[in-house]
Amino acid sequence: MHSKKTVVSYYVGIDVGSASVRAALVDGGGTVVAHAEQPIQIWEPQPDHYEQSSEDIWGACCSVTKKVVCGVDAAQIRGVGFDATCSLVVLDKQFQPLAVNCEGRTHRNVIMWMDHRAVSQVELINATQHRVLNYVGGAMSVEMQPPKLLWIKENLRESWENAGYFFDLPDFLSWKATGVTARSLCTVVCKWTYTSDRGWDDTFWKMIGLEDLVKDKYEKIGNHVLSPGEAVGKGLTPEAAKDLGLPEGIAVAASLIDAHAGGLGVIGADVKGHNLPCENQPITSRVAMICGTSSCHMGVSENPIFVPGVWGPYFSAMVPGLWLNEGGQSATGKLIDHMVQGHVAFPELQSKAAASAHSIYTYLNSHLDLIKKSLPVGFLTVDLHVWPDFHGNRSPLTDLTLKGMVVGLTLSRGLDELALIYLATIQAIALGTRHILETMQAAGHDISTLFLCGGLSKNPLFVQMHADITGKPVVLSKEVESVLVGAAILGACASGDFASIQEAVAKMGKIGRVVQPNHEHKRFYDKKYEVFLKLVEHQREYRSIMNSL
């Protein structure tokens, strides 16, 4: 008797990060079967101006997708999902690129998410105190789209006059794949001030001097909005199918911003049998942390919760039907690198790590174990404290002017000292996470468990410190590439193979390890947290002394 072999269904997730594009072929159980990556170009024509090319980005999407689907039976590939950074793409009325720079270089038609050129524009917008600002924690960020649009209108008259379409990058990708200009609820709600109940607010755009966008019923910024994971148009166009190496007509999903795709990839995973406080509890008791160069903290709720200094509440921006709050730390992985690489003992660390065939962070972690004697590792920093806002504070203080601090330095300059400053920096980032979570909880969130993904979640010390300092268990995803799994989940949803995003997330989001907090260390970290909050108090105090000059 022959048992009929079940045909495996695959989904393609395409992720456009800041410096590279990645694609993955993911099966219905959430396993990454194939993976490819290709760098993309960034131009920095002047300080705080970061630009990219939408043609360069689409070209990279095509080449990585062709790689991951090579040799796979096309009939088994059921859907495609995109996620990307929330960068701004500018096209003319014929969908051709328009310059976002004074040099008139049209191929450079993308203002990157991290571009800070629109500082005076965002100040003007925040001074209006318009009601839409309540949904971004009370103040808009310079990284959102309205200030960037205003900058173009004020500085690049020709591009403004000729513009036909302004896309968030995730929406540009779904347009390129389907020829349909629909936008995702995720992008327009999180970065453009759209609200799911009222849509666009005419009074806001008129008040900030962008009344031209209202005129044509918002044609330029989108008047057809879909939920993430909803199928767009009739799927892949013949032209896009040829570019990507996929069959035409395959389902294409409405997209997500990259951090939200990471959150989606982990937050709904099935946790049965791990003895976690969130088991049999609604998904609202979980926070997803996406930790890379910077970190995002994603929490969802049944009803809107307004958290001071935390973005949102955004309706249906990540999980359909739920409100999203998004906290963040502007520099985390970047800060750890900065502290370690800038230390005088870094060359010694590099050569010792290379000699032991370990990464520098694995080597530092084992060096800390060596010097801790009988103490728990974390207690080594009893006299060394870091305030981590070297790039300003995004949440919960929303103060871009805050600076980093290190208290407790000595004349030692060896590897021991470097290992301690590395540990204190990781602890400071975890204390910053605790600060964000406590602010969310004070506003009405009820959080019991952290779900971590992204590059820093591979570092066991980073993970353990987050468990110990927040007092909450940390769940790691089985696939480190949760962002790609999140994008593939969108494609799976659009294909109709799952009844809902929630069902796809439960089947495809798999958990790996669970790290429990060590409750015996609670008193020590409560004291560290007291010191942590004192540091910013002191910084504000001495700043006001100097400002009284």
Side-chain angles (χ1 to χ4, degrees):
M1 224 184 107
H2 292 292
S3 63
K4 190 168 177 284
K5 192 165 184 283
T6 48
V7 178
V8 182
S9 294
Y10 294 114
Y11 311 96
V12 177
I14 301 168
D15 162 52
V16 179
S18 301
S20 69
V21 174
R22 304 178 305 156
L25 189 67
V26 180
D27 69 18
T31 302
V32 174
V33 182
H35 171 271
E37 183 163 8
Q38 183 170 314
I40 47 178
Q41 219 169 334
I42 298 176
W43 288 269
E44 192 184 351
Q46 48 184 296
D48 281 336
H49 287 232
Y50 295 95
E51 295 166 9
Q52 288 183 314
S53 151
S54 64
E55 286 178 350
D56 176 46
I57 290 168
W58 180 250
C61 289
C62 296
S63 72
V64 289
T65 304
K66 280 181 173 150
K67 278 184 192 147
V68 298
V69 301
C70 183
V72 177
D73 174 5
Q76 292 175 261
I77 301 170
R78 305 268 306 142
V80 181
F82 293 96
D83 74 80
T85 63
C86 44
S87 299
L88 178 67
V89 184
V90 185
L91 303 177
D92 69 14
K93 293 167 184 73
Q94 284 72 49
F95 295 98
Q96 295 306 304
L98 277 176
V100 294
N101 47 71
C102 306
E103 301 88 40
R105 300 261 193 264
T106 52
H107 65 288
R108 284 164 31 201
N109 68 318
V110 179
I111 299 181
M112 282 187 77
W113 66 274
M114 61 188 188
D115 183 290
H116 283 194
R117 69 181 68 182
V119 171
S120 65
Q121 288 77 14
V122 84
E123 284 170 358
L124 180 143
I125 290 170
N126 284 329
T128 65
Q129 297 192 337
H130 192 281
R131 63 179 175 227
V132 298
L133 300 177
N134 293 337
Y135 289 87
V136 288
M140 186 168 283
S141 156
V142 67
E143 293 174 0
M144 291 176 179
Q145 309 305 7
K148 291 173 176 170
L149 293 168
L150 190 54
W151 185 92
I152 295 171
K153 181 174 179 175
E154 291 176 358
N155 294 278
L156 302 175
R157 212 54 222 186
E158 198 180 329
S159 289
W160 184 258
E161 301 294 344
N162 294 333
Y165 302 92
F166 296 102
F167 282 106
D168 217 283
L169 185 52
D171 297 324
F172 165 82
L173 298 169
S174 60
W175 163 73
K176 198 79 176 137
T178 63
V180 174
T181 61
R183 307 301 205 274
S184 163
L185 202 53
C186 175
T187 57
V188 291
V189 166
C190 296
K191 305 296 168 186
W192 299 71
T193 74
Y194 188 89
T195 57
S196 35
D197 51 347
R198 284 202 306 269
W200 297 115
D201 190 321
D202 297 0
T203 63
F204 170 71
W205 297 101
K206 288 172 179 163
M207 190 181 275
I208 67 168
L210 292 179
E211 61 289 330
D212 0 10
L213 297 176
V214 183
K215 273 206 301 276
D216 53 6
K217 297 200 173 65
Y218 296 100
E219 182 63 35
K220 288 182 178 162
I221 60 173
N223 47 24
H224 177 207
V225 179
L226 299 172
S227 259
E230 247 183 281
V232 182
K234 296 189 170 72
L236 280 183
T237 61
E239 189 189 352
K242 196 163 144 285
D243 287 349
L244 292 161
L246 291 167
E248 70 176 87
I250 279 186
V252 175
S255 314
L256 280 172
I257 296 165
D258 53 357
H260 301 67
L264 190 70
V266 293
I267 200 168
D270 181 3
V271 297
K272 276 192 188 62
H274 286 273
N275 195 21
L276 284 162
C278 65
E279 192 180 329
N280 302 324
Q281 292 297 313
I283 191 172
T284 52
S285 64
R286 308 174 176 195
V287 160
M289 257 186 81
I290 300 88
C291 336
T293 310
S294 61
S295 295
C296 291
H297 306 69
M298 308 283 198
V300 289
S301 58
E302 295 279 347
N303 297 307
I305 300 175
F306 293 85
V307 187
V310 171
W311 293 342
Y314 299 138
F315 185 66
S316 275
M318 186 172 79
V319 182
L322 295 178
W323 295 83
L324 170 72
N325 282 110
E326 183 185 343
Q329 293 165 295
S330 302
T332 49
K334 198 177 171 68
L335 177 65
I336 296 168
D337 290 346
H338 171 80
M339 298 297 264
V340 170
Q341 291 167 12
H343 196 279
V344 66
F346 181 60
E348 184 193 343
L349 169 65
Q350 270 182 309
S351 58
K352 285 191 165 157
S356 70
H358 284 307
S359 79
I360 56 172
Y361 295 120
T362 306
Y363 188 86
L364 278 173
N365 292 350
S366 53
H367 190 78
L368 283 166
D369 280 332
L370 222 78
I371 58 178
K372 73 174 172 62
K373 311 262 189 312
S374 59
L375 280 174
V377 162
F379 290 22
L380 287 168
T381 57
V382 66
D383 288 326
L384 184 62
H385 310 284
V386 173
W387 178 263
D389 292 330
F390 284 55
H391 193 52
N393 184 291
R394 188 191 298 170
S395 308
L397 303 175
T398 48
D399 184 348
L400 279 175
T401 66
L402 283 174
K403 305 283 190 279
M405 302 166 78
V406 183
V407 176
L409 294 171
T410 68
L411 290 174
S412 311
R413 27 187 303 148
L415 206 50
D416 290 6
E417 184 66 23
L418 167 50
L420 290 181
I421 198 86
Y422 157 73
L423 170 62
T425 303
I426 284 180
Q427 288 176 334
I429 291 166
L431 290 160
T433 290
R434 174 166 168 176
H435 197 196
I436 291 167
L437 296 180
E438 288 193 358
T439 308
M440 288 171 75
Q441 287 177 168
H445 278 275
D446 182 14
I447 300 157
S448 71
T449 314
L450 297 183
F451 286 68
L452 255 62
C453 66
L456 289 176
S457 69
K458 298 178 201 171
N459 182 334
L461 182 69
F462 183 89
V463 174
Q464 189 65 58
M465 285 301 133
H466 274 75
D468 290 352
I469 286 171
T470 62
K472 299 181 193 304
V474 172
V475 178
L476 299 175
S477 54
K478 182 170 146 285
E479 293 286 349
V480 179
E481 306 298 352
S482 294
V483 174
L484 282 165
V485 174
I489 285 172
L490 295 173
C493 221
S495 73
D497 289 353
F498 295 93
S500 65
I501 277 218
Q502 283 88 332
E503 188 194 320
V505 164
K507 293 260 172 38
M508 293 175 69
K510 290 278 190 290
I511 76 168
R513 228 155 47 84
V514 172
V515 176
Q516 294 289 350
N518 187 329
H519 293 297
E520 287 169 24
H521 301 170
K522 182 181 182 311
R523 236 184 116 249
F524 178 79
Y525 290 117
D526 286 348
K527 294 290 180 205
K528 282 285 286 188
Y529 186 58
E530 242 180 272
V531 174
F532 182 77
L533 296 178
K534 275 273 186 283
L535 289 175
V536 70
E537 220 178 281
H538 288 317
Q539 182 172 158
R540 288 178 159 165
E541 210 171 292
Y542 67 62
R543 184 173 289 183
S544 74
I545 294 170
M546 295 312 292
N547 285 346
S548 64
L549 268 173

